[in-house]
C-alpha cells in the first residue's frame, strides 16, 4: 500500500515538474535561428490568434499593458498549440525526406537508362536567354512567348543577340524530356516497360514536389526544420 502511494506521489511530482507553463517559457532564451524559423515559418499556428482591433481598443491608452498582454498571449498560445506545431513540423520533415528519396531514385534510374537509350529522349540545351526566362518568368503564357522570341536571334537593329545563341550553364540538356521519350518509345516499343517505370518515378517526384509544406515557405531548408523539431521536442520534455 505504501509502495503504491509512493509511486503515485512520484508520478504526480514528475508530471508537475514537466508541465510546460508560461513561467518556464522565455522566447529570449531560444537560439536566434530556432526562434526565427519558428516565428517565420510556423508562427501562423500560434501568433496573433486574437482580434487586433478589439485589443487595440482595450489597451488604447496603455501601450505598455498591451505589450505585456501580447507577450503573455504569445506564450499561452505557443504552449496551447505546441503539440500541433510539433506535428506540423514532423509532417514537413517526412515530406522533405520523401521528396529527397523520390528525386534520388529517379535520378539514379535516369543515370542507368540514358547511356543505353538514344540522346533524342533528352531535352535540348537551352540558351542564356531561355535560362533567364525560365528563372524569372512566372506564367506559362510568358514562357511560351519567350520560346517564340528565342528563335529570332537577330534583334530589331540587325545585331546578333548573343544571349540567344550562348549555351546555358544550367539547362545543358541532360534531363529526359517526356514528349521526346514518348516519341522514342513509339518508334522502339521494346522500351515501353522502361518508359512506364520511369514515368511512375517521375509522377511520384512531381507529386511530392507540388505538395506544399506546412511551413509558410516551401523553400525552407530541411536542416532548419530539423533543428526546430529537435528543439521543440526537447522543451516539451
Amino acid at each position: 500500500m505504501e509502495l503504491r502511494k509512493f509511486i503515485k506521489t512520484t508520478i504526480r511530482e514528475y508530471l508537475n515538474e514537466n508541465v510546460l507553463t508560461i513561467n518556464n517559457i522565455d522566447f529570449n532564451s531560444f537560439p536566434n535561428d530556432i526562434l526565427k524559423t519558428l516565428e517565420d515559418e510556423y508562427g501562423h499556428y500560434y501568433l496573433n490568434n486574437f482580434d487586433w482591433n478589439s485589443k487595440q481598443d482595450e489597451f488604447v491608452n496603455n501601450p505598455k499593458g498591451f505589450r505585456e498582454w501580447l507577450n503573455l498571449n504569445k506564450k499561452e498560445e505557443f504552449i496551447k498549440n505546441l503539440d500541433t506545431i510539433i506535428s506540423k513540423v514532423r509532417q514537413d520533415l517526412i515530406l522533405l525526406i520523401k521528396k529527397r528519396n523520390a528525386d534520388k531514385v529517379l535520378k539514379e534510374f535516369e543515370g542507368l537508362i540514358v547511356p543505353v537509350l538514344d540522346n533524342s529522349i533528352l531535352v535540348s540545351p537551352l540558351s542564356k536567354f531561355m535560362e533567364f526566362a525560365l528563372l524569372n518568368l512566372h506564367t506559362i503564357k510568358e514562357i511560351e512567348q519567350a520560346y517564340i522570341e528565342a528563335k529570332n536571334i537577330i534583334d530589331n537593329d540587325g545585331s546578333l543577340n548573343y544571349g540567344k545563341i550562348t549555351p546555358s550553364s544550367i539547362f545543358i540538356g541532360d534531363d529526359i524530356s517526356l514528349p521526346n521519350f514518348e516519341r522514342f518509345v513509339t518508334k522502339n516499343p521494346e522500351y515501353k516497360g522502361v518508359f512506364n517505370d520511369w514515368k511512375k518515378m517521375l509522377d511520384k517526384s512531381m507529386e511530392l514536389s507540388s505538395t506544399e509544406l506546412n511551413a509558410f515557405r516551401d523553400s525552407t531548408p530541411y536542416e532548419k526544420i530539423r533543428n526546430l523539431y529537435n528543439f521543440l521536442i526537447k522543451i516539451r520534455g
Side-chain angles (χ1 to χ4, degrees):
M1 210 49 155
E2 289 298 322
L3 179 59
R4 183 179 300 175
K5 182 178 180 181
F6 172 76
I7 292 174
K8 285 183 177 180
T9 303
T10 303
I11 292 174
R12 189 181 301 113
E13 290 175 352
Y14 174 81
L15 291 174
N16 288 337
E17 288 176 359
N18 287 273
V19 170
L20 201 57
T21 69
I22 59 173
N23 295 322
N24 49 29
I25 283 293
D26 179 12
F27 290 112
N28 292 325
S29 69
F30 286 25
N32 290 336
D33 58 329
I34 296 293
L35 183 60
K36 182 173 177 56
T37 304
L38 173 64
E39 293 185 341
D40 290 355
E41 306 304 335
Y42 298 93
H44 50 290
Y45 291 109
Y46 73 99
L47 292 176
N48 304 328
N49 291 341
F50 58 90
D51 188 329
W52 272 93
N53 292 328
S54 63
K55 283 300 174 183
Q56 285 179 331
D57 290 341
E58 181 180 340
F59 291 95
V60 64
N61 295 317
N62 186 9
K64 181 182 178 182
F66 177 70
R67 287 193 298 270
E68 292 174 350
W69 177 87
L70 189 61
N71 185 51
L72 181 63
N73 175 265
K74 182 179 177 181
K75 291 180 179 182
E76 290 176 341
E77 288 297 315
F78 174 73
I79 293 170
K80 184 170 67 176
N81 293 284
L82 180 56
D83 285 343
T84 297
I85 296 169
I86 289 175
S87 176
K88 297 297 183 181
V89 174
R90 184 189 297 115
Q91 290 171 12
D92 283 352
L93 288 174
I94 293 172
L95 176 58
L96 289 173
I97 291 172
K98 285 182 177 180
K99 284 182 179 181
R100 183 173 62 192
N101 290 343
D103 291 343
K104 184 174 183 290
V105 169
L106 176 63
K107 202 68 178 175
E108 289 178 350
F109 186 73
E110 290 180 343
L112 292 174
I113 65 175
V114 168
V116 178
L117 305 179
D118 194 289
N119 282 344
S120 62
I121 69 171
L122 301 178
V123 297
S124 301
L126 299 181
S127 64
K128 283 285 186 182
F129 176 86
M130 280 309 304
E131 173 188 314
F132 179 85
L134 291 177
L135 294 178
N136 293 277
L137 301 181
H138 304 290
T139 68
I140 295 176
K141 185 176 181 179
E142 288 175 328
I143 294 174
E144 288 177 344
Q145 182 60 35
Y147 270 107
I148 295 173
E149 293 177 9
K151 296 176 182 178
N152 185 11
I153 62 174
I154 306 297
D155 288 337
N156 292 334
D157 62 1
S159 61
L160 187 62
N161 188 320
Y162 285 95
K164 295 179 179 179
I165 62 174
T166 303
S168 165
S169 57
I170 300 176
F171 303 104
I172 58 177
D174 58 347
D175 293 319
I176 294 178
S177 162
L178 174 58
N180 287 352
F181 203 171
E182 287 176 326
R183 283 191 288 270
F184 176 83
V185 170
T186 300
K187 296 178 182 178
N188 303 275
E190 64 271 23
Y191 291 106
K192 181 68 174 175
V194 175
F195 172 81
N196 289 339
D197 289 342
W198 172 79
K199 185 65 165 56
K200 288 178 183 177
M201 297 177 195
L202 177 66
D203 289 344
K204 187 63 177 178
S205 177
M206 293 179 66
E207 174 191 344
L208 291 171
S209 295
S210 62
T211 303
E212 295 183 347
L213 295 178
N214 295 313
F216 185 73
R217 290 174 292 190
D218 287 330
S219 59
T220 309
Y222 172 86
E223 292 73 19
K224 289 184 179 294
I225 298 178
R226 182 73 207 189
N227 290 340
L228 173 62
Y229 179 77
N230 291 341
F231 182 80
L232 293 178
I233 291 296
K234 182 179 179 180
I235 66 171
R236 185 178 64 175

